[in-house]
Amino acid sequence: TPRFSPDYKSIVYVSYIERRARVYVYDIASGRQRLVTESPNQTFSPRWSPDGKSILYSMSVGGNTDLYRVSAAGGGTPVRLTNTPAIETGGSYSPDGSKIVFESDRSGSQQIYVMNADGSGQTRLTNNPGSNEIMPAVSRVDNRIAFASGRDGNFEIYVMNADGTSPTNLTNNPAGDFWPVWSPDGGKIAFISARDEGAEIYVI
């Protein structure tokens, strides 16, 4: 799950070499990589903070998945940001770094929540008990949140305001659309679609 840094000079990613989860940062110019953190536990979906100083990621410990933050420089102690028996994953920073949007099944189904960058003030943004709201991604431009929702019986791409209001359906595909990612200017969204009998990348 590689992601460019805010200045596009580095890439963060997860490696399972030697059967141990490691988060690395790869410097594009030098070709060097540095270890940020490692664990025997399943680790996935690292994301940069807007200032490039922190890495947000998900880690599963004893079957319980939570969000953690660690220094991008490496060598620091990870800070646990969520602490419930639910599955919390899919973290995405707001443009100013003050908020983190994520998904959690603490209500019985995956819904989208927001919290302060230190893990406090966790608030639910979507409320569709009969469906799953997953894979949130925050626009760097205006805080809008793109996500995949199963509220219509199949997963489609939606966009809503930062406070959860005005959800708008962007796609209509019975086969399913997933993993929305914003373009840097906030004008387009790339996503994975199964509409052509396989997983392919689309832009809308």
Side-chain angles (χ1 to χ4, degrees), residues 175-188:
D177 298 322
F178 307 91
W179 291 113
V181 178
W182 291 91
S183 63
D185 64 1
K188 295 181 183 296

Side-chain angles (χ1 to χ4, degrees), residues 1-3 10-14 23-26 46-48 55:
T1 50
R3 287 292 185 274
S10 302
I11 298 171
V12 66
Y13 64 97
V14 174
V23 176
Y24 285 99
V25 167
Y26 176 82
R47 301 288 186 268
W48 294 89
I55 302 294

Side-chain angles (χ1 to χ4, degrees), residues 123-152:
T123 304
R124 185 171 172 174
L125 294 181
T126 60
N127 188 12
N128 291 282
S131 68
N132 288 300
E133 319 284 303
I134 59 175
M135 305 171 184
V138 183
S139 167
R140 296 184 183 183
V141 176
D142 58 10
N143 271 332
R144 284 182 299 161
I145 301 168
F147 62 101
S149 173
R151 64 182 68 184
D152 293 327

Side-chain angles (χ1 to χ4, degrees), residues 173 175-178 191-202:
N173 170 32
D177 298 322
F178 307 91
F191 61 96
I192 294 175
S193 177
R195 64 187 65 194
D196 293 325
E197 299 182 356
E200 297 179 332
I201 297 173
Y202 283 76

Side-chain angles (χ1 to χ4, degrees), residues 56-126:
L56 180 71
Y57 64 97
S58 301
M59 182 167 64
S60 180
V61 180
N64 184 27
T65 303
D66 282 293
L67 288 166
Y68 292 77
R69 183 187 68 238
V70 67
S71 170
T77 300
V79 177
R80 186 175 180 178
L81 299 178
T82 59
N83 189 3
T84 76
I87 296 174
E88 271 103 16
T89 185
S92 180
Y93 276 98
S94 62
D96 64 2
S98 66
K99 303 286 185 181
I100 295 171
V101 177
F102 64 100
E103 62 179 90
S104 172
D105 69 350
R106 65 184 68 178
S107 67
S109 63
Q110 287 301 105
Q111 300 293 320
I112 296 175
Y113 291 73
V114 65
M115 63 181 173
N116 296 325
D118 62 1
S120 65
Q122 298 181 19
T123 304
R124 185 171 172 174
L125 294 181
T126 60

